[in-house]
Amino acid sequence: MDSGVIPFNRPHVTGKEHAYIDEAIGNHQLSGDGAFTKRCHQWIERETGCAKALLTPSCTAALELAALLVDIEPGDEVIMPSYTFVSTANAFVLRGAVPVFVDIRTDTLNLDERLIESAITERTRAIVPVHYAGVACEMDAIVAIAKRHDLGIVEDAAQGVMARYKGRALGSIGDLGTFSFHDTKNVTSGEGGSLLVNERSLVQRAEILREKGTDRSRFIRGEVDKYTWQGVGSSFLLGELAAAFLQAQLEQAREITQGRLAVWNRYHELLAPLEQAGLIQRPVVPDGCVHNAHMYYIILSPEFDRQSVLDEFRRQQIGAVFHYVPLHSAPAGIRVGRAHGELQATTSLSRRLVRLPMWLGLGESQQQRVVEVLGRHLRR
Ligand SMILES: *Cc1c(COP(=O)(O)O)cnc(C)c1O
């Protein structure tokens, strides 16, 4: 185990996926909203307490649904971090919104709640907190700001399945939340996602938007005797085969999270000496946050050249990666967005961050090797 390739990610398979997919085939309905989709919805609703869960083809699609539901109009402004995945911004830009990029906190790399209020204008419609690495944003403060200014909250909880903030599931706190089941996430169906509707008054419109603008969801429940075109919409359903795969994973979500936390905690211990030596900064999980070990990242001290660290990992066949190129500095972000202030933390931290291999089944000796390679390189 002292040599060999250590991949960055390896999607976990529980073993029940095949049986559930066979069962879905036997049900003779392969399109969306069949028996497995219903079971997934119930699982998410029970686990998170959201009013309505709706499986989608991706978290990207769930964010697009959310942007439609909060009635974004051209010229509206939406506050979000620049340090996030492109889908957070795209969903709103597709509706003509201007993403307003606010800096992040240096401890959690989450939207800095102290900077939000000064970014609000009369065009601001919504705040989109992204729970980076499954560690919650400071939601009490963000909810209070949204209330004061009558703004919607869409939580990008793509990375936050099974994580909590002061006892509440991530994605269940804002008006709307979104999950990702992409195969780089903790619980997966390959591609997949879910919208979490917390604001009850949005449930019916969410169902209609997701079902091509029809009230087919009410028809299936027997609430209307035919379904008709009610408004705009699109096809935002996940197929039953993917839902069957997902159900197998959701049933094991607790075990998956526990297993990942064991891997995460091992990294945290092994890396403590490098932090004490002033070479790196380890992730911070504030009080009140229960995280889900979605990723393990380190922040290199400013004197190091990140590329040389990544090159060394590649030479040793260790899959370490970086992200994100801040959206405010990317070509599209410059064109369509607005940076609120200097975004110094975003710029500095995004250049120094390295994500280490992180998956269920990653062995202790493999982790020791990752940390040894890093330590040897940084102490040269
Ligand atoms: C993964 C991710 C997404 C997109 O998820 P998909 O399911 O791949 O569309 C959006 N936002 C964040 C923060 C993510 O990490």
Side-chain angles (χ1 to χ4, degrees), residues 24-253:
I25 293 168
N27 288 343
H28 305 293
Q29 184 193 331
L30 301 180
S31 60
D33 278 347
F36 279 103
T37 298
K38 198 177 287 175
R39 284 168 71 179
C40 291
H41 287 172
Q42 284 166 353
W43 188 94
I44 295 169
E45 286 159 14
R46 217 178 316 117
E47 181 64 31
T48 69
C50 71
K52 188 84 199 85
L54 293 168
L55 292 191
T56 54
S58 62
C59 181
T60 301
L63 286 162
E64 289 173 16
L65 257 179
L68 286 162
L69 277 165
V70 295
D71 289 323
I72 297 294
E73 286 176 12
D76 286 349
E77 295 180 355
V78 179
I79 290 172
M80 64 183 68
S82 169
Y83 186 70
T84 183
F85 189 60
V86 291
S87 295
T88 315
N90 265 329
F92 297 92
V93 173
L94 275 168
R95 307 258 68 79
V98 176
V100 174
F101 299 117
V102 168
D103 211 358
I104 51 174
R105 291 164 48 135
T106 53
D107 58 352
T108 57
L109 282 58
N110 279 332
L111 193 58
D112 190 336
E113 67 281 358
R114 296 163 306 181
L115 304 176
I116 292 173
E117 208 145 23
S118 60
I120 293 173
T121 71
E122 67 272 20
R123 299 307 309 262
T124 309
R125 291 301 306 269
I127 306 172
V128 187
V130 179
H131 303 297
Y132 183 65
V135 176
C137 295
E138 194 40 61
M139 290 308 292
D140 280 350
I142 293 171
V143 168
I145 293 166
K147 278 218 175 89
R148 256 195 313 277
H149 298 272
D150 194 23
L151 305 175
I153 296 180
V154 177
E155 293 176 76
D156 183 342
Q159 303 174 10
V161 177
M162 298 299 285
R164 290 184 177 261
Y165 171 77
K166 299 186 181 178
R168 299 170 73 186
L170 303 193
S172 75
I173 302 165
D175 303 291
L176 299 161
T178 61
F179 281 168
S180 174
F181 303 118
H182 188 263
D183 84 347
T184 52
K185 303 303 201 287
N186 293 15
V187 171
T188 184
S189 49
E191 301 277 353
S194 181
L195 179 70
L196 281 67
V197 185
N198 304 311
E199 173 52 51
R200 278 184 191 279
S201 62
L202 296 176
V203 169
Q204 193 169 322
R205 260 188 70 223
E207 288 183 336
I208 289 169
L209 282 166
R210 176 170 166 273
E211 264 285 18
K212 298 102 179 163
T214 74
D215 54 354
R216 185 164 175 271
S217 297
R218 299 191 65 201
F219 173 71
I220 290 171
R221 287 195 296 266
E223 295 167 12
V224 290
D225 61 7
K226 58 180 181 304
Y227 69 89
T228 55
W229 188 24
Q230 302 286 317
V232 296
S234 189
S235 183
F236 285 112
L237 279 70
L238 185 69
E240 273 291 287
L241 296 181
F245 194 101
L246 182 61
Q247 175 59 24
Q249 299 251 324
L250 291 175
E251 281 175 6
Q252 292 286 310

